[in-house]
């Protein structure tokens, strides 16, 4: 299949030919991974980013249409993914910085005891909600989620550890987050969103 033209390869992928998709992956993975690794400076992050791009490509194969060369189109998709990655990274670092400042200010700025008690109670309630939600997850989903959030393993590493595909790992994590967000929304706590963000970023 290595001699199949780009257009024929694309049509085969649109027709759900997984062998053609694997050939596409074989042809361009190294180029795209090198590109992502240079920009992120992190091999695991680059692996996850490129693999996620290929997963999305397969999932949307029926609408796979390009107007330039396949290599240029794939590079553009990686740039799009990198843009999202750096936006998310910036948000994370900004949040942790602001939370750090908040903790520092608590040491010098007077906060009424009743307010501190209320904040602490809300935080404890939120953690309890999250813990209950995690405990109620199916065994495999809980295992994947905790490996990701508590032990900070990448999607690729978890896939290898558990002998499942990166797509399955990603699906477990996404569904786990949806369950937590739903539980948080139902708790109706005034600081729910903030506390959830704190927990997720610290995990």
């Amino acid at each position: 299949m290595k001699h199949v033209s780009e257009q024929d390869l694309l049509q085969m992928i649109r027709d759900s030919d997984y062998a053609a998709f694997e050939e596409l992956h074989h042809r361009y993975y190294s180029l795209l991974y090198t590109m992502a690794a240079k920009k992120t400076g992190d091999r695991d992050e680059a692996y996850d980013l490129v693999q996620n791009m290929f997963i999305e490509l397969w999932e949307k194969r029926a609408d796979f249409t390009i107007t330039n060369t396949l290599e240029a189109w794939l590079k553009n998709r990686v740039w799009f993914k990198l843009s999202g990655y750096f936006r998310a990274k910036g948000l994370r670092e900004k949040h942790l910085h602001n939370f750090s400042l908040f903790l520092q200010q608590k040491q010098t700025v007077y906060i009424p005891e009743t307010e501190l008690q209320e904040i602490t109670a809300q935080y404890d309630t939120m953690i309890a909600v999250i813990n209950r939600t995690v405990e109620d997850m199916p065994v495999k989903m809980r295992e994947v989620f905790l490996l990701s959030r508590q032990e900070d393993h990448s999607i690729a590493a978890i896939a290898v550890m558990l002998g499942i595909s990166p797509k399955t790992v990603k699906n477990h994590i996404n569904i786990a987050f949806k369950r937590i967000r739903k539980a948080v929304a139902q708790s109706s706590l005034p600081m729910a969103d903030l506390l959830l963000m704190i927990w997720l970023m610290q995990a």
Side-chain angles (χ1 to χ4, degrees), residues 5-203:
S5 69
E6 285 189 359
Q7 290 304 317
D8 288 341
L9 196 66
L10 292 179
Q11 187 56 54
M12 293 167 72
I13 293 172
R14 293 189 195 100
D15 294 337
S16 298
D17 187 326
Y18 196 74
F21 179 71
E22 289 183 326
E23 173 63 22
L24 176 73
H25 187 279
H26 175 73
R27 289 186 188 183
Y28 294 102
Y29 173 78
S30 180
L31 171 69
L32 301 175
Y33 169 77
T34 300
M35 174 181 165
K38 285 181 179 179
K39 293 300 179 182
T40 62
D42 187 306
R43 292 181 180 180
D44 286 340
E45 293 284 4
Y47 175 87
D48 289 346
L49 187 148
V50 175
Q51 289 295 87
N52 287 341
M53 186 209 71
F54 275 108
I55 288 171
E56 290 178 3
L57 189 157
W58 176 252
E59 290 175 342
K60 300 176 181 178
R61 59 191 177 279
D63 302 318
F64 192 11
T65 303
I66 65 173
T67 55
N68 50 6
T69 66
L70 181 55
E71 179 178 325
W73 187 88
L74 289 170
K75 283 182 176 180
N76 286 339
R77 293 302 302 169
V78 171
W79 279 116
F80 178 79
K81 283 288 187 182
L82 284 167
S83 176
Y85 166 81
F86 284 116
R87 282 199 304 271
K89 183 179 179 182
L91 176 62
R92 180 178 189 276
E93 291 176 349
K94 179 180 179 181
H95 172 78
L96 291 177
H97 175 68
N98 289 342
F99 187 55
S100 175
L101 292 177
F102 169 74
L103 293 179
Q104 292 173 21
Q105 291 170 356
K106 277 209 324 184
Q107 307 302 317
T108 57
V109 178
Y110 173 73
I111 300 177
E113 183 64 26
T114 54
E115 186 173 339
L116 283 175
Q117 290 176 352
E118 181 180 356
I119 291 173
T120 301
Q122 291 174 352
Y123 184 85
D124 290 343
T125 300
M126 178 56 54
I127 293 302
V129 169
I130 293 171
N131 286 339
R132 283 198 305 272
T133 305
V134 173
E135 286 301 315
D136 289 341
M137 291 176 185
V139 174
K140 186 63 69 175
M141 182 186 298
R142 181 170 67 245
E143 187 176 10
V144 168
F145 185 76
L146 293 178
L147 283 171
S148 171
R149 305 314 302 172
Q150 289 190 353
E151 299 185 29
D152 201 28
H153 291 295
S154 69
I155 289 176
I158 296 171
V160 172
M161 292 168 66
L162 301 182
I164 57 180
S165 70
K167 179 181 177 181
T168 300
V169 173
K170 184 178 179 181
N171 286 342
H172 277 311
I173 293 173
N174 287 340
I175 295 172
F177 274 128
K178 288 180 181 178
R179 289 184 175 217
I180 290 175
R181 291 190 184 101
K182 182 178 179 180
V184 168
Q186 291 174 342
S187 70
S188 300
L189 289 172
M191 296 181 66
D193 290 343
L194 173 61
L195 292 173
L196 174 61
M197 183 65 73
I198 291 171
W199 185 83
L200 292 176
M201 294 308 171
Q202 285 182 318

